[in-house]
Amino acid sequence: MSLDYSYANSGICVAEVNLSSPSQSHSETDKITVLYSDVLLSDKKLDTIPRILGLIDKILEVYDEYKPNVIVREEAFVGKSSTAKGVLYAHAILELETYNRNIEIIDIHNATLKAYCRKYLTEKAFYTKEELKQFDKKQVVAEFLKAYFSSDMPEIYTKRGRLEDDKCDAICLSIYYKEKML
């Protein structure tokens, strides 16, 4: 299970990794299957702690349903000082909840994830570095997912065509975990 976790909303992905050999070595036949992906929203009407706990409850419901081996989470990232307190509280409370339930959680830095996507696109999807400059960070991850799954990935867009970047990051975290950490 992977999370692009934050105070306001969280991208979540549950993926199944099927390795081609029992030795856990990677090959082109290894598969990752997305079983579930979504963006979970926190309740803006609630105060900070109840708001965070409500979002964590939703995440743990998904965890309990799928029973993944590990949670891979994008490290805390604060874009604006006004959101710092909520983001840091959210990460601390999630850390406590996973610790209390003996759930392994692995953090991956945002820059590491984006660099992985760019490298994949230049090495395996035949994009040039100049072509990648036309995309913002969110679009780079979307292009990576399209290349990785050889699909237009309609599931990463809303019905109105807006990119669900939190969902993209969560799916990408699962791929990164499979490719770089297993």
Side-chain angles (χ1 to χ4, degrees):
M1 184 165 129
S2 53
L3 296 173
D4 181 7
Y5 180 66
S6 191
Y7 175 64
N9 55 32
S10 293
I12 185 169
C13 173
V14 179
E16 182 177 67
V17 176
N18 298 306
L19 298 175
S20 56
S21 71
S23 67
Q24 302 276 319
S25 63
H26 295 290
S27 74
E28 292 299 317
T29 60
D30 293 348
K31 302 250 187 273
I32 185 166
T33 305
V34 175
L35 303 174
Y36 174 86
S37 64
D38 202 355
V39 177
L40 304 178
L41 304 176
S42 65
D43 188 343
K44 295 178 184 179
K45 297 174 191 164
L46 298 176
D47 289 333
T48 302
I49 301 301
R51 182 178 180 178
I52 293 167
L53 289 172
L55 185 56
I56 289 172
D57 285 345
K58 292 176 186 178
I59 291 166
L60 293 177
E61 284 176 18
V62 175
Y63 179 88
D64 290 339
E65 181 178 343
Y66 289 95
K67 298 176 180 27
N69 296 333
V70 66
I71 294 177
V72 180
R73 170 183 65 180
E74 190 173 70
E75 282 184 4
F77 176 80
V78 178
K80 300 176 192 173
S81 61
S82 63
T83 62
K85 182 178 175 183
V87 169
L88 296 176
Y89 277 7
H91 276 261
I93 294 170
L94 179 64
E95 193 79 27
L96 178 63
E97 290 293 323
T98 56
Y99 174 81
N100 286 340
R101 291 181 62 167
N102 200 29
I103 298 170
E104 180 182 10
I105 193 161
I106 298 171
D107 285 327
I108 297 172
H109 195 277
N110 176 289
T112 301
L113 194 64
K114 303 307 188 256
Y116 171 74
C117 292
R118 283 190 298 277
K119 184 176 180 181
Y120 183 95
L121 287 170
T122 56
E123 291 181 358
K124 296 189 178 183
F126 308 109
Y127 278 86
T128 66
K129 289 181 181 181
E130 284 301 311
E131 289 172 319
L132 289 181
K133 287 180 182 177
Q134 71 180 324
F135 301 123
D136 66 22
K137 292 176 189 176
K138 296 173 183 181
Q139 291 171 314
V140 167
V141 176
E143 290 301 310
F144 163 77
L145 292 175
K146 292 174 187 178
Y148 187 87
F149 288 110
S150 301
S151 165
D152 287 339
M153 297 294 293
E155 60 270 32
I156 64 173
Y157 296 93
T158 65
K159 290 178 183 170
R160 293 184 171 174
R162 187 182 67 81
L163 179 65
E164 292 188 286
D165 60 291
D166 294 321
K167 185 188 289 187
C168 290
D169 284 351
I171 296 169
C172 187
L173 283 162
S174 289
I175 295 167
Y176 182 87
Y177 177 75
K178 175 222 175 239
E179 297 290 341
K180 296 294 187 180
M181 302 181 89
L182 282 182

